[in-house]
Amino acid sequence: MMNLVRWNPWREMTSMHNQLNLMFDSPVFRSHRADEDVSFGLWNPAVDLYEKDDSFLITAELAGVDKDKISIDLKDGVLTLSGERSDDGEVKEDSYYRRERTYGKFRRAFSLPADVDSEKIKAEFKDGVLQIEVPKPEERKPKQITIH
């Protein structure tokens, strides 16, 4: 036997809204927006951020970026990574079949604990990968308490 379900037009609208969101999040639309960003000279390097026992590690892919065009600043608990990747050649746009590499300025910001000691932050740039190590403040480290 079949149950009767009362029709609710808002349920249909919600379903259509969800389907539209899925469509606009598809790779076809995402790559289009990325192409627009490239044309404006905007890009963001891929970044991994993870935590170790005594520090936070930030690893950024910066292939093709000169070391002297990278800046790392810490102000008010926010670590800012910025820089610029310059175009490496003078090829006319008409000669391109496909252009996927991005050029221009970038800027990424990461919130850190306010009591991070900026003097202890280390950064290493090797083979196009920047790794920033931010030591945790002393009171944030796990402490073993001895029972007497």
Side-chain angles (χ1 to χ4, degrees):
M1 183 168 172
M2 204 170 167
N3 292 333
L4 289 177
V5 178
R6 186 174 183 168
W7 180 67
N8 181 345
W10 298 112
R11 187 176 340 152
E12 300 296 323
M13 294 295 288
T14 302
S15 174
M16 185 173 69
H17 180 262
N18 290 339
Q19 289 175 354
L20 283 171
N21 282 341
L22 286 172
M23 182 182 76
F24 284 115
D25 283 338
S26 73
V28 172
F29 285 96
R30 270 188 273 131
S31 65
H32 176 69
R33 286 190 301 237
D35 289 345
E36 288 175 357
D37 287 348
V38 170
S39 67
F40 291 119
L42 304 173
W43 69 284
N44 281 317
V47 174
D48 294 334
L49 174 62
Y50 58 98
E51 182 176 5
K52 291 174 45 178
D53 289 338
D54 59 349
S55 63
F56 300 101
L57 286 172
I58 301 169
T59 305
E61 290 182 5
L62 298 173
V65 178
D66 293 330
K67 182 178 174 180
D68 58 336
K69 292 190 176 186
I70 301 171
S71 175
I72 305 168
D73 300 303
L74 179 64
K75 182 178 178 183
D76 299 328
V78 177
L79 183 115
T80 304
L81 170 62
S82 58
E84 183 175 3
R85 180 164 48 197
S86 302
D87 193 348
D88 57 352
E90 293 185 23
V91 177
K92 289 184 179 180
E93 290 293 326
D94 299 341
S95 301
Y96 275 101
Y97 291 106
R98 185 170 180 97
R99 186 172 186 166
E100 294 183 354
R101 295 185 306 151
T102 54
Y103 302 95
K105 295 181 180 186
F106 65 88
R107 183 181 182 96
R108 300 290 306 264
F110 307 94
S111 295
L112 298 175
D115 46 356
V116 165
D117 185 359
S118 61
E119 298 298 321
K120 295 182 179 178
I121 296 175
K122 299 176 193 169
E124 181 181 349
F125 187 62
K126 182 178 179 186
D127 298 330
V129 176
L130 175 68
Q131 186 166 42
I132 305 168
E133 184 174 2
V134 182
K136 288 182 182 177
E138 287 297 320
E139 53 275 357
R140 290 211 167 228
K141 291 182 185 176
K143 298 201 182 215
Q144 181 67 35
I145 299 171
T146 306
I147 302 172
H148 296 283

PDB file of all heavy atoms in Angstrom, residues 109-140:
ATOM      1  N   ALA A 109      47.470  34.155   5.215  1.00  0.00           N
ATOM      2  CA  ALA A 109      47.586  34.556   6.625  1.00  0.00           C
ATOM      3  C   ALA A 109      47.105  33.414   7.512  1.00  0.00           C
ATOM      4  O   ALA A 109      46.124  32.732   7.189  1.00  0.00           O
ATOM      5  CB  ALA A 109      46.768  35.814   6.882  1.00  0.00           C
ATOM      6  N   PHE A 110      47.792  33.220   8.647  1.00  0.00           N
ATOM      7  CA  PHE A 110      47.492  32.137   9.576  1.00  0.00           C
ATOM      8  C   PHE A 110      47.460  32.682  10.996  1.00  0.00           C
ATOM      9  O   PHE A 110      48.406  33.356  11.427  1.00  0.00           O
ATOM     10  CB  PHE A 110      48.558  31.039   9.475  1.00  0.00           C
ATOM     11  CG  PHE A 110      48.764  30.562   8.064  1.00  0.00           C
ATOM     12  CD1 PHE A 110      49.758  31.112   7.270  1.00  0.00           C
ATOM     13  CD2 PHE A 110      47.949  29.587   7.525  1.00  0.00           C
ATOM     14  CE1 PHE A 110      49.950  30.695   5.969  1.00  0.00           C
ATOM     15  CE2 PHE A 110      48.131  29.158   6.220  1.00  0.00           C
ATOM     16  CZ  PHE A 110      49.137  29.717   5.446  1.00  0.00           C
ATOM     17  N   SER A 111      46.398  32.403  11.723  1.00  0.00           N
ATOM     18  CA  SER A 111      46.295  32.828  13.126  1.00  0.00           C
ATOM     19  C   SER A 111      47.113  31.891  13.989  1.00  0.00           C
ATOM     20  O   SER A 111      47.005  30.669  13.863  1.00  0.00           O
ATOM     21  CB  SER A 111      44.837  32.805  13.584  1.00  0.00           C
ATOM     22  OG  SER A 111      44.097  33.758  12.871  1.00  0.00           O
ATOM     23  N   LEU A 112      47.902  32.471  14.858  1.00  0.00           N
ATOM     24  CA  LEU A 112      48.738  31.702  15.778  1.00  0.00           C
ATOM     25  C   LEU A 112      48.413  32.124  17.206  1.00  0.00           C
ATOM     26  O   LEU A 112      47.824  33.186  17.418  1.00  0.00           O
ATOM     27  CB  LEU A 112      50.221  31.974  15.494  1.00  0.00           C
ATOM     28  CG  LEU A 112      50.747  31.585  14.121  1.00  0.00           C
ATOM     29  CD1 LEU A 112      52.192  32.036  13.974  1.00  0.00           C
ATOM     30  CD2 LEU A 112      50.635  30.094  13.906  1.00  0.00           C
ATOM     31  N   PRO A 113      48.807  31.320  18.179  1.00  0.00           N
ATOM     32  CA  PRO A 113      48.634  31.754  19.561  1.00  0.00           C
ATOM     33  C   PRO A 113      49.332  33.097  19.774  1.00  0.00           C
ATOM     34  O   PRO A 113      50.415  33.341  19.236  1.00  0.00           O
ATOM     35  CB  PRO A 113      49.315  30.657  20.374  1.00  0.00           C
ATOM     36  CG  PRO A 113      49.296  29.457  19.483  1.00  0.00           C
ATOM     37  CD  PRO A 113      49.393  29.984  18.083  1.00  0.00           C
ATOM     38  N   ALA A 114      48.714  33.960  20.540  1.00  0.00           N
ATOM     39  CA  ALA A 114      49.230  35.321  20.725  1.00  0.00           C
ATOM     40  C   ALA A 114      50.605  35.360  21.381  1.00  0.00           C
ATOM     41  O   ALA A 114      51.370  36.291  21.157  1.00  0.00           O
ATOM     42  CB  ALA A 114      48.236  36.142  21.541  1.00  0.00           C
ATOM     43  N   ASP A 115      50.932  34.352  22.181  1.00  0.00           N
ATOM     44  CA  ASP A 115      52.187  34.382  22.917  1.00  0.00           C
ATOM     45  C   ASP A 115      53.332  33.621  22.236  1.00  0.00           C
ATOM     46  O   ASP A 115      54.271  33.189  22.874  1.00  0.00           O
ATOM     47  CB  ASP A 115      51.975  33.863  24.346  1.00  0.00           C
ATOM     48  CG  ASP A 115      51.158  32.585  24.383  1.00  0.00           C
ATOM     49  OD1 ASP A 115      50.688  32.137  23.330  1.00  0.00           O
ATOM     50  OD2 ASP A 115      50.986  32.040  25.479  1.00  0.00           O
ATOM     51  N   VAL A 116      53.288  33.501  20.909  1.00  0.00           N
ATOM     52  CA  VAL A 116      54.374  32.870  20.158  1.00  0.00           C
ATOM     53  C   VAL A 116      55.582  33.802  20.157  1.00  0.00           C
ATOM     54  O   VAL A 116      55.443  35.009  19.967  1.00  0.00           O
ATOM     55  CB  VAL A 116      53.923  32.576  18.704  1.00  0.00           C
ATOM     56  CG1 VAL A 116      55.102  32.270  17.816  1.00  0.00           C
ATOM     57  CG2 VAL A 116      52.933  31.444  18.673  1.00  0.00           C
ATOM     58  N   ASP A 117      56.756  33.225  20.384  1.00  0.00           N
ATOM     59  CA  ASP A 117      57.994  34.004  20.389  1.00  0.00           C
ATOM     60  C   ASP A 117      58.500  34.126  18.949  1.00  0.00           C
ATOM     61  O   ASP A 117      58.985  33.153  18.359  1.00  0.00           O
ATOM     62  CB  ASP A 117      59.036  33.323  21.276  1.00  0.00           C
ATOM     63  CG  ASP A 117      60.310  34.136  21.415  1.00  0.00           C
ATOM     64  OD1 ASP A 117      60.408  35.229  20.807  1.00  0.00           O
ATOM     65  OD2 ASP A 117      61.207  33.676  22.153  1.00  0.00           O
ATOM     66  N   SER A 118      58.404  35.310  18.378  1.00  0.00           N
ATOM     67  CA  SER A 118      58.772  35.512  16.975  1.00  0.00           C
ATOM     68  C   SER A 118      60.260  35.263  16.722  1.00  0.00           C
ATOM     69  O   SER A 118      60.652  34.950  15.599  1.00  0.00           O
ATOM     70  CB  SER A 118      58.396  36.915  16.518  1.00  0.00           C
ATOM     71  OG  SER A 118      59.087  37.879  17.280  1.00  0.00           O
ATOM     72  N   GLU A 119      61.084  35.401  17.751  1.00  0.00           N
ATOM     73  CA  GLU A 119      62.529  35.192  17.594  1.00  0.00           C
ATOM     74  C   GLU A 119      62.869  33.717  17.361  1.00  0.00           C
ATOM     75  O   GLU A 119      63.944  33.411  16.858  1.00  0.00           O
ATOM     76  CB  GLU A 119      63.272  35.698  18.833  1.00  0.00           C
ATOM     77  CG  GLU A 119      63.108  37.183  19.092  1.00  0.00           C
ATOM     78  CD  GLU A 119      63.669  38.034  17.960  1.00  0.00           C
ATOM     79  OE1 GLU A 119      64.735  37.677  17.412  1.00  0.00           O
ATOM     80  OE2 GLU A 119      63.039  39.049  17.618  1.00  0.00           O
ATOM     81  N   LYS A 120      61.971  32.804  17.713  1.00  0.00           N
ATOM     82  CA  LYS A 120      62.240  31.373  17.595  1.00  0.00           C
ATOM     83  C   LYS A 120      61.645  30.741  16.339  1.00  0.00           C
ATOM     84  O   LYS A 120      61.797  29.560  16.107  1.00  0.00           O
ATOM     85  CB  LYS A 120      61.726  30.640  18.836  1.00  0.00           C
ATOM     86  CG  LYS A 120      62.469  31.030  20.099  1.00  0.00           C
ATOM     87  CD  LYS A 120      61.971  30.250  21.286  1.00  0.00           C
ATOM     88  CE  LYS A 120      62.732  30.634  22.546  1.00  0.00           C
ATOM     89  NZ  LYS A 120      62.239  29.923  23.717  1.00  0.00           N
ATOM     90  N   ILE A 121      60.966  31.522  15.515  1.00  0.00           N
ATOM     91  CA  ILE A 121      60.380  30.990  14.287  1.00  0.00           C
ATOM     92  C   ILE A 121      61.497  30.756  13.268  1.00  0.00           C
ATOM     93  O   ILE A 121      62.353  31.604  13.068  1.00  0.00           O
ATOM     94  CB  ILE A 121      59.321  31.956  13.716  1.00  0.00           C
ATOM     95  CG1 ILE A 121      58.158  32.089  14.695  1.00  0.00           C
ATOM     96  CG2 ILE A 121      58.834  31.479  12.359  1.00  0.00           C
ATOM     97  CD1 ILE A 121      57.124  33.113  14.296  1.00  0.00           C
ATOM     98  N   LYS A 122      61.469  29.572  12.646  1.00  0.00           N
ATOM     99  CA  LYS A 122      62.478  29.215  11.649  1.00  0.00           C
ATOM    100  C   LYS A 122      61.797  29.002  10.302  1.00  0.00           C
ATOM    101  O   LYS A 122      60.686  28.487  10.235  1.00  0.00           O
ATOM    102  CB  LYS A 122      63.182  27.918  12.036  1.00  0.00           C
ATOM    103  CG  LYS A 122      63.918  27.966  13.346  1.00  0.00           C
ATOM    104  CD  LYS A 122      64.496  26.605  13.656  1.00  0.00           C
ATOM    105  CE  LYS A 122      64.970  26.540  15.092  1.00  0.00           C
ATOM    106  NZ  LYS A 122      65.290  25.164  15.494  1.00  0.00           N
ATOM    107  N   ALA A 123      62.488  29.399   9.236  1.00  0.00           N
ATOM    108  CA  ALA A 123      61.970  29.189   7.883  1.00  0.00           C
ATOM    109  C   ALA A 123      63.085  28.657   7.002  1.00  0.00           C
ATOM    110  O   ALA A 123      64.223  29.122   7.065  1.00  0.00           O
ATOM    111  CB  ALA A 123      61.418  30.493   7.315  1.00  0.00           C
ATOM    112  N   GLU A 124      62.733  27.656   6.183  1.00  0.00           N
ATOM    113  CA  GLU A 124      63.704  27.073   5.258  1.00  0.00           C
ATOM    114  C   GLU A 124      63.034  26.942   3.890  1.00  0.00           C
ATOM    115  O   GLU A 124      61.896  26.486   3.776  1.00  0.00           O
ATOM    116  CB  GLU A 124      64.151  25.695   5.752  1.00  0.00           C
ATOM    117  CG  GLU A 124      65.167  25.044   4.858  1.00  0.00           C
ATOM    118  CD  GLU A 124      65.597  23.664   5.349  1.00  0.00           C
ATOM    119  OE1 GLU A 124      65.263  23.286   6.481  1.00  0.00           O
ATOM    120  OE2 GLU A 124      66.262  22.967   4.569  1.00  0.00           O
ATOM    121  N   PHE A 125      63.751  27.358   2.850  1.00  0.00           N
ATOM    122  CA  PHE A 125      63.245  27.287   1.480  1.00  0.00           C
ATOM    123  C   PHE A 125      64.161  26.391   0.676  1.00  0.00           C
ATOM    124  O   PHE A 125      65.339  26.693   0.499  1.00  0.00           O
ATOM    125  CB  PHE A 125      63.191  28.697   0.883  1.00  0.00           C
ATOM    126  CG  PHE A 125      62.526  28.762  -0.454  1.00  0.00           C
ATOM    127  CD1 PHE A 125      61.201  28.409  -0.606  1.00  0.00           C
ATOM    128  CD2 PHE A 125      63.232  29.203  -1.563  1.00  0.00           C
ATOM    129  CE1 PHE A 125      60.575  28.491  -1.846  1.00  0.00           C
ATOM    130  CE2 PHE A 125      62.617  29.295  -2.808  1.00  0.00           C
ATOM    131  CZ  PHE A 125      61.288  28.932  -2.941  1.00  0.00           C
ATOM    132  N   LYS A 126      63.624  25.255   0.197  1.00  0.00           N
ATOM    133  CA  LYS A 126      64.442  24.303  -0.532  1.00  0.00           C
ATOM    134  C   LYS A 126      63.594  23.627  -1.606  1.00  0.00           C
ATOM    135  O   LYS A 126      62.487  23.175  -1.326  1.00  0.00           O
ATOM    136  CB  LYS A 126      64.997  23.254   0.429  1.00  0.00           C
ATOM    137  CG  LYS A 126      65.904  22.248  -0.207  1.00  0.00           C
ATOM    138  CD  LYS A 126      66.447  21.283   0.825  1.00  0.00           C
ATOM    139  CE  LYS A 126      67.341  20.250   0.149  1.00  0.00           C
ATOM    140  NZ  LYS A 126      67.768  19.225   1.100  1.00  0.00           N
ATOM    141  N   ASP A 127      64.109  23.577  -2.825  1.00  0.00           N
ATOM    142  CA  ASP A 127      63.447  22.914  -3.948  1.00  0.00           C
ATOM    143  C   ASP A 127      62.010  23.396  -4.168  1.00  0.00           C
ATOM    144  O   ASP A 127      61.111  22.608  -4.460  1.00  0.00           O
ATOM    145  CB  ASP A 127      63.454  21.391  -3.766  1.00  0.00           C
ATOM    146  CG  ASP A 127      64.863  20.811  -3.723  1.00  0.00           C
ATOM    147  OD1 ASP A 127      65.755  21.397  -4.366  1.00  0.00           O
ATOM    148  OD2 ASP A 127      65.071  19.785  -3.057  1.00  0.00           O
ATOM    149  N   GLY A 128      61.792  24.692  -4.006  1.00  0.00           N
ATOM    150  CA  GLY A 128      60.478  25.257  -4.262  1.00  0.00           C
ATOM    151  C   GLY A 128      59.462  25.050  -3.146  1.00  0.00           C
ATOM    152  O   GLY A 128      58.291  25.351  -3.320  1.00  0.00           O
ATOM    153  N   VAL A 129      59.907  24.542  -2.009  1.00  0.00           N
ATOM    154  CA  VAL A 129      59.013  24.315  -0.869  1.00  0.00           C
ATOM    155  C   VAL A 129      59.517  25.136   0.312  1.00  0.00           C
ATOM    156  O   VAL A 129      60.681  25.040   0.696  1.00  0.00           O
ATOM    157  CB  VAL A 129      58.942  22.818  -0.496  1.00  0.00           C
ATOM    158  CG1 VAL A 129      58.086  22.603   0.736  1.00  0.00           C
ATOM    159  CG2 VAL A 129      58.415  21.997  -1.661  1.00  0.00           C
ATOM    160  N   LEU A 130      58.631  25.941   0.876  1.00  0.00           N
ATOM    161  CA  LEU A 130      58.952  26.738   2.055  1.00  0.00           C
ATOM    162  C   LEU A 130      58.379  26.041   3.273  1.00  0.00           C
ATOM    163  O   LEU A 130      57.195  25.693   3.297  1.00  0.00           O
ATOM    164  CB  LEU A 130      58.347  28.142   1.937  1.00  0.00           C
ATOM    165  CG  LEU A 130      58.507  29.045   3.154  1.00  0.00           C
ATOM    166  CD1 LEU A 130      59.974  29.419   3.356  1.00  0.00           C
ATOM    167  CD2 LEU A 130      57.650  30.289   3.010  1.00  0.00           C
ATOM    168  N   GLN A 131      59.216  25.824   4.272  1.00  0.00           N
ATOM    169  CA  GLN A 131      58.733  25.227   5.517  1.00  0.00           C
ATOM    170  C   GLN A 131      59.011  26.200   6.661  1.00  0.00           C
ATOM    171  O   GLN A 131      60.144  26.641   6.858  1.00  0.00           O
ATOM    172  CB  GLN A 131      59.399  23.893   5.803  1.00  0.00           C
ATOM    173  CG  GLN A 131      58.793  23.213   7.022  1.00  0.00           C
ATOM    174  CD  GLN A 131      59.190  21.760   7.119  1.00  0.00           C
ATOM    175  OE1 GLN A 131      60.348  21.413   6.879  1.00  0.00           O
ATOM    176  NE2 GLN A 131      58.250  20.919   7.473  1.00  0.00           N
ATOM    177  N   ILE A 132      57.943  26.540   7.370  1.00  0.00           N
ATOM    178  CA  ILE A 132      58.029  27.457   8.505  1.00  0.00           C
ATOM    179  C   ILE A 132      57.709  26.669   9.760  1.00  0.00           C
ATOM    180  O   ILE A 132      56.662  26.011   9.841  1.00  0.00           O
ATOM    181  CB  ILE A 132      57.032  28.626   8.351  1.00  0.00           C
ATOM    182  CG1 ILE A 132      57.249  29.347   7.027  1.00  0.00           C
ATOM    183  CG2 ILE A 132      57.161  29.588   9.529  1.00  0.00           C
ATOM    184  CD1 ILE A 132      56.141  30.312   6.659  1.00  0.00           C
ATOM    185  N   GLU A 133      58.603  26.732  10.735  1.00  0.00           N
ATOM    186  CA  GLU A 133      58.383  26.047  12.016  1.00  0.00           C
ATOM    187  C   GLU A 133      58.162  27.099  13.095  1.00  0.00           C
ATOM    188  O   GLU A 133      59.002  27.970  13.307  1.00  0.00           O
ATOM    189  CB  GLU A 133      59.570  25.168  12.384  1.00  0.00           C
ATOM    190  CG  GLU A 133      59.331  24.378  13.650  1.00  0.00           C
ATOM    191  CD  GLU A 133      60.446  23.390  13.942  1.00  0.00           C
ATOM    192  OE1 GLU A 133      61.435  23.338  13.176  1.00  0.00           O
ATOM    193  OE2 GLU A 133      60.335  22.684  14.948  1.00  0.00           O
ATOM    194  N   VAL A 134      57.002  27.016  13.731  1.00  0.00           N
ATOM    195  CA  VAL A 134      56.628  27.963  14.778  1.00  0.00           C
ATOM    196  C   VAL A 134      56.572  27.206  16.099  1.00  0.00           C
ATOM    197  O   VAL A 134      55.654  26.402  16.317  1.00  0.00           O
ATOM    198  CB  VAL A 134      55.250  28.603  14.486  1.00  0.00           C
ATOM    199  CG1 VAL A 134      54.897  29.606  15.559  1.00  0.00           C
ATOM    200  CG2 VAL A 134      55.235  29.248  13.108  1.00  0.00           C
ATOM    201  N   PRO A 135      57.557  27.417  16.994  1.00  0.00           N
ATOM    202  CA  PRO A 135      57.525  26.717  18.277  1.00  0.00           C
ATOM    203  C   PRO A 135      56.301  27.119  19.094  1.00  0.00           C
ATOM    204  O   PRO A 135      55.897  28.278  19.096  1.00  0.00           O
ATOM    205  CB  PRO A 135      58.808  27.178  18.981  1.00  0.00           C
ATOM    206  CG  PRO A 135      59.666  27.732  17.896  1.00  0.00           C
ATOM    207  CD  PRO A 135      58.738  28.250  16.844  1.00  0.00           C
ATOM    208  N   LYS A 136      55.717  26.132  19.769  1.00  0.00           N
ATOM    209  CA  LYS A 136      54.565  26.413  20.624  1.00  0.00           C
ATOM    210  C   LYS A 136      55.037  27.173  21.859  1.00  0.00           C
ATOM    211  O   LYS A 136      56.166  26.965  22.331  1.00  0.00           O
ATOM    212  CB  LYS A 136      53.908  25.115  21.082  1.00  0.00           C
ATOM    213  CG  LYS A 136      53.170  24.393  20.008  1.00  0.00           C
ATOM    214  CD  LYS A 136      52.524  23.154  20.601  1.00  0.00           C
ATOM    215  CE  LYS A 136      51.809  22.355  19.559  1.00  0.00           C
ATOM    216  NZ  LYS A 136      51.232  21.122  20.124  1.00  0.00           N
ATOM    217  N   PRO A 137      54.193  28.022  22.379  1.00  0.00           N
ATOM    218  CA  PRO A 137      54.525  28.687  23.639  1.00  0.00           C
ATOM    219  C   PRO A 137      54.667  27.637  24.750  1.00  0.00           C
ATOM    220  O   PRO A 137      54.034  26.589  24.702  1.00  0.00           O
ATOM    221  CB  PRO A 137      53.328  29.601  23.905  1.00  0.00           C
ATOM    222  CG  PRO A 137      52.639  29.734  22.596  1.00  0.00           C
ATOM    223  CD  PRO A 137      52.928  28.493  21.825  1.00  0.00           C
ATOM    224  N   GLU A 138      55.477  27.934  25.741  1.00  0.00           N
ATOM    225  CA  GLU A 138      55.767  26.978  26.803  1.00  0.00           C
ATOM    226  C   GLU A 138      54.513  26.416  27.470  1.00  0.00           C
ATOM    227  O   GLU A 138      54.414  25.236  27.707  1.00  0.00           O
ATOM    228  CB  GLU A 138      56.673  27.618  27.867  1.00  0.00           C
ATOM    229  CG  GLU A 138      58.101  27.809  27.420  1.00  0.00           C
ATOM    230  CD  GLU A 138      58.806  26.507  27.113  1.00  0.00           C
ATOM    231  OE1 GLU A 138      58.612  25.511  27.854  1.00  0.00           O
ATOM    232  OE2 GLU A 138      59.547  26.471  26.116  1.00  0.00           O
ATOM    233  N   GLU A 139      53.550  27.262  27.789  1.00  0.00           N
ATOM    234  CA  GLU A 139      52.374  26.771  28.506  1.00  0.00           C
ATOM    235  C   GLU A 139      51.460  25.926  27.633  1.00  0.00           C
ATOM    236  O   GLU A 139      50.598  25.238  28.124  1.00  0.00           O
ATOM    237  CB  GLU A 139      51.583  27.906  29.150  1.00  0.00           C
ATOM    238  CG  GLU A 139      51.200  29.028  28.233  1.00  0.00           C
ATOM    239  CD  GLU A 139      52.286  30.071  28.088  1.00  0.00           C
ATOM    240  OE1 GLU A 139      53.342  29.983  28.728  1.00  0.00           O
ATOM    241  OE2 GLU A 139      52.094  30.982  27.281  1.00  0.00           O
ATOM    242  N   ARG A 140      51.652  25.929  26.321  1.00  0.00           N
ATOM    243  CA  ARG A 140      50.841  25.115  25.426  1.00  0.00           C
ATOM    244  C   ARG A 140      51.390  23.708  25.267  1.00  0.00           C
ATOM    245  O   ARG A 140      50.700  22.838  24.795  1.00  0.00           O
ATOM    246  CB  ARG A 140      50.733  25.773  24.067  1.00  0.00           C
ATOM    247  CG  ARG A 140      49.895  26.993  24.106  1.00  0.00           C
ATOM    248  CD  ARG A 140      49.221  27.138  22.792  1.00  0.00           C
ATOM    249  NE  ARG A 140      48.193  28.136  22.919  1.00  0.00           N
ATOM    250  CZ  ARG A 140      46.962  27.984  22.505  1.00  0.00           C
ATOM    251  NH1 ARG A 140      46.602  26.875  21.934  1.00  0.00           N
ATOM    252  NH2 ARG A 140      46.085  28.921  22.640  1.00  0.00           N
TER     253      ARG A 140
END
